[in-house]
Amino acid sequence: MPVNALFSYLMKKRIQQIELFRDNPHEAQLEVFHKLVQAARYTEWGRRYDYGSISSPEEFRQRVPLQEYADIKPWVDRMRAGEQSLLWPTDIRWFAKSSGTTNAKSKFIPVSREALEDCHYKGGKDLLALHFAMHPQSQLYKGMSMVVGGSSAAEPLRQDAYTGDLSAIIISNLPLWVEVRRTPVIETALMENWEAKVERMARETMREDVRSIAGVPSWTLVVLKRVLELTGKDNIMEVWPNLELFMHGGVSFRPYREQYNRLFPSASMNYLESYNASEGFFGITDEHGSDSLLLMLDYGIFFEFIPVKELHREQPPTKLLHEVEPGQDYALVISTNAGLWRYMPGDTVRFTSVQPYRIQVSGRTRSFINAFGEELIVENADRGIQCACEATGAVVSDYTAGPVYMDDLARGGHEWVIEFESEPEDLERFTAVLDTTMRGLNSDYDAKRSTDTVLGKPLVHAVPKGTFHHWLKEKGKLGGQHKVPRLCNDRLILDQLLLGISV
């Protein structure tokens, strides 16, 4: 049997398992819950909370407190020093250096062998399985897959343990069936110097038969543009005519869609979004053209959800899967097969469907602007940017926004720093559409904008190309899973960017 046909057959078998948990979601989650609790009952954490006597999610929620990174950091520090069987029974040898944090201190998320194989790798396989299910004639495995991964190499902590970007950990441990079809070579993929890595990656991949690409949209763009510069081609389909799939995640695709449409001017090009993080792999697009993600319920992750309006409470109540409602925003809470227990990774999601369970990532619990009671979230901002681009022909590369505080002489407002790939002909029109769209999406923002007395119209700065690249470089956050924070409830990042432009 030809390799591509065999690969397609194996992917179809996995679709049957996906359909099983899609049709029986509550039973699937209950099975995951019992496996996790039983597996950890003899760990130090499990003995502390008497996991051996926990028989239901209700008992679990009553007994185990919610956790943020600061709560588990002492446990992680002990594991990094070599102690084992603290949070999870099998040895923890990898620690994913989280790029989600915007301050100087990094988070180190434990990654077990079970998390690699039954969560992260399984998610990667399921992206391909769902692609083959939607496109049975796919010839994906006849060519190569370009993976745009993390820019930091794994750093030895002790003789048998490593820390680095999650993507670096994954690439370092890929199964053979993936490695033989991956480009560039592993030495290039794990290079620490992002700018040198872009050059080598572009030169190594531009002559390959690349049929799929995986990466964060923002950083993948950098590589693809360099490929075009080196080849002199007008678009990526001229370089890789058999390209058929871009698997993306990490940031919202909305601000980047127009740029990718120009790079991939082909009706046969397909896009699949994933929702994955250092803490786990959570969702995948399972319908052609959908912007919702199927919640993946058999990856060794037990889910809980906190209504966003309850987040102000010290130990807010959580909802189980059968208790959530469509259209509501929830902060994500996870218990995982790497020993994260009732852990809050900081994301908020909204259910678009409960039969089956599909979600959209609506923002971060700490990425918002609420200086005046407007409660603006990232999803509002992304949609506002998208509509403003469509109305004015602009293309946005990156953006961030924060508050303008009231004083005796001026009302409050929001200030935006936007880097355009293609600037709008009329920046005032762009700003007006951005504002109007967000008002239509967010009643709190609309109420504060209604009379211009509390919240003035947005102040938008169009900054030179390369502004965000230079800011990220100064922070040591080039490449991989690093992201530009979209919304901040203070002016720290805004002032750094504006100061850098003025000097």
Side-chain angles (χ1 to χ4, degrees):
M1 182 183 290
V3 173
N4 193 77
L6 175 62
F7 186 74
S8 178
Y9 169 75
L10 294 174
M11 293 298 101
K12 287 177 182 177
K13 293 189 69 174
R14 173 57 185 159
I15 290 297
Q16 296 173 353
Q17 296 171 325
I18 293 174
E19 290 173 347
L20 185 63
F21 78 68
R22 192 159 46 191
D23 294 339
N24 303 278
H26 308 134
E27 293 83 353
Q29 273 288 273
L30 195 59
E31 181 179 351
V32 168
F33 168 77
H34 286 301
K35 284 183 177 179
L36 290 175
V37 171
Q38 285 299 302
R41 66 189 185 277
Y42 298 125
T43 62
E44 184 174 323
W45 181 276
R47 292 194 300 270
R48 171 177 289 192
Y49 293 103
D50 193 13
Y51 273 24
S53 70
I54 293 177
S55 61
S56 70
E58 289 71 24
E59 285 182 285
F60 180 67
R61 289 190 290 177
Q62 291 169 6
R63 192 174 302 177
V64 181
L66 294 167
Q67 307 292 314
E68 294 186 289
Y69 186 75
D71 300 309
I72 68 164
K73 185 178 182 300
W75 298 78
V76 173
D77 290 344
R78 290 170 61 192
M79 285 189 285
R80 294 182 71 203
E83 291 189 61
Q84 295 293 348
S85 198
L86 299 179
L87 299 175
W88 188 247
T90 60
D91 286 357
I92 303 291
R93 294 170 28 186
W94 300 286
F95 298 88
K97 189 175 181 180
S98 172
S99 56
T101 181
T102 57
N103 58 25
K105 296 179 181 178
S106 295
K107 300 177 184 178
F108 295 92
I109 305 300
V111 180
S112 66
R113 171 56 66 181
E114 291 84 354
L116 271 182
E117 294 182 352
D118 299 334
C119 185
H120 295 292
Y121 291 160
K122 199 171 184 178
K125 286 187 286 187
D126 284 354
L127 276 165
L128 300 177
L130 288 163
H131 173 72
F132 273 90
M134 288 183 272
H135 305 280
Q137 304 308 312
S138 171
Q139 300 297 305
L140 207 63
Y141 210 66
K142 284 187 174 181
M144 303 295 285
S145 176
M146 184 177 82
V147 180
V148 183
S151 59
S152 64
E155 306 164 2
L157 284 169
R158 55 183 199 269
Q159 189 173 3
D160 64 341
Y162 296 86
T163 183
D165 282 356
L166 175 67
S167 54
I169 293 171
I170 289 174
I171 289 171
S172 299
N173 294 277
L174 282 173
L176 181 62
W177 69 271
V178 177
E179 185 62 25
V180 296
R181 294 293 185 180
R182 186 192 56 75
T183 187
V185 299
I186 194 165
E187 291 80 10
T188 299
L190 295 178
M191 283 179 67
E192 189 169 1
N193 185 313
W194 168 251
E195 291 167 318
K197 174 176 164 179
V198 168
E199 186 69 19
R200 279 185 53 175
M201 180 176 285
R203 291 184 181 277
E204 285 182 26
T205 59
M206 66 186 193
R207 294 183 178 87
E208 297 280 4
D209 178 17
V210 174
R211 302 200 176 203
S212 68
I213 300 172
V216 176
S218 52
W219 297 115
T220 304
L221 269 177
V222 177
V223 178
L224 296 180
K225 288 178 180 179
R226 184 57 182 150
V227 168
L228 292 182
E229 290 172 357
L230 290 170
T231 59
K233 302 297 185 182
D234 292 328
N235 63 71
I236 291 297
M237 304 308 296
E238 293 180 2
V239 182
W240 299 317
N242 296 316
L243 182 67
E244 60 176 276
L245 176 63
F246 178 39
M247 298 172 282
H248 60 86
V251 297
S252 172
F253 195 53
R254 289 191 190 100
Y256 302 100
R257 184 173 292 280
E258 182 55 35
Q259 291 189 73
Y260 276 94
N261 286 341
R262 295 180 185 182
L263 285 171
F264 306 144
S266 169
S268 62
M269 187 65 193
N270 303 297
Y271 300 85
L272 278 181
E273 183 175 0
S274 64
Y275 172 24
N276 60 313
S278 299
E279 295 87 352
F281 204 119
F282 309 127
I284 301 176
T285 304
D286 71 322
E287 291 183 315
H288 182 69
S290 173
D291 61 355
S292 294
L293 306 169
L294 180 69
L295 191 63
M296 307 306 286
L297 301 176
D298 67 346
Y299 284 5
I301 299 174
F302 179 70
F303 293 100
E304 301 174 60
F305 306 90
I306 302 173
V308 167
K309 62 184 178 182
E310 302 284 353
L311 276 174
H312 65 281
R313 298 170 63 173
E314 184 175 347
Q315 283 288 317
T318 63
K319 304 274 189 185
L320 297 182
L321 196 62
H322 68 276
E323 299 172 308
V324 300
E325 299 176 10
Q328 301 298 312
D329 288 313
Y330 298 93
L332 193 65
V333 178
I334 56 174
S335 297
T336 77
N337 50 7
L340 298 177
W341 299 107
R342 305 201 74 213
Y343 182 83
M344 296 183 287
D347 292 336
T348 61
V349 300
R350 177 179 304 136
F351 282 87
T352 58
S353 166
V354 293
Q355 291 181 336
Y357 287 98
R358 293 195 178 99
I359 59 172
Q360 293 174 339
V361 182
S362 55
R364 298 277 297 171
T365 56
R366 289 186 173 86
S367 185
F368 57 85
I369 308 178
N370 193 32
F372 314 100
E374 67 273 43
E375 298 188 7
L376 191 73
I377 62 174
V378 173
E379 185 191 40
N380 303 153
D382 280 343
R383 288 192 180 276
I385 290 287
Q386 180 186 17
C387 291
C389 286
E390 291 171 352
T392 62
V395 178
V396 168
S397 295
D398 262 314
Y399 77 88
T400 194
V404 177
Y405 297 115
M406 292 179 176
D407 59 28
D408 293 338
L409 301 176
R411 63 194 163 197
H414 292 170
E415 193 164 8
W416 296 68
V417 172
I418 303 179
E419 183 179 326
F420 290 98
E421 178 71 18
S422 299
E423 291 196 16
E425 293 182 3
D426 185 344
L427 187 59
E428 287 192 10
R429 168 69 174 153
F430 180 94
T431 303
V433 176
L434 171 67
D435 184 38
T436 301
T437 302
M438 293 189 302
R439 291 183 69 169
L441 293 169
N442 186 318
S443 59
D444 292 308
Y445 177 81
D446 181 55
K448 303 302 182 294
R449 285 281 296 115
S450 61
T451 61
D452 272 359
T453 56
V454 176
L455 203 64
K457 69 177 182 179
L459 172 63
V460 174
H461 302 278
V463 299
K465 291 182 180 180
T467 295
F468 284 95
H469 177 92
H470 294 311
W471 179 78
L472 286 164
K473 185 176 181 179
E474 287 179 359
K475 300 293 179 184
K477 291 182 177 290
L478 283 182
Q481 296 172 309
H482 298 301
K483 311 161 193 171
V484 173
R486 295 308 192 198
L487 302 180
C488 296
N489 209 34
D490 57 48
R491 291 189 56 83
L492 178 63
I493 293 173
L494 272 181
D495 288 340
Q496 289 175 351
L497 285 164
L498 294 172
L499 179 63
I501 295 165
S502 64
V503 296

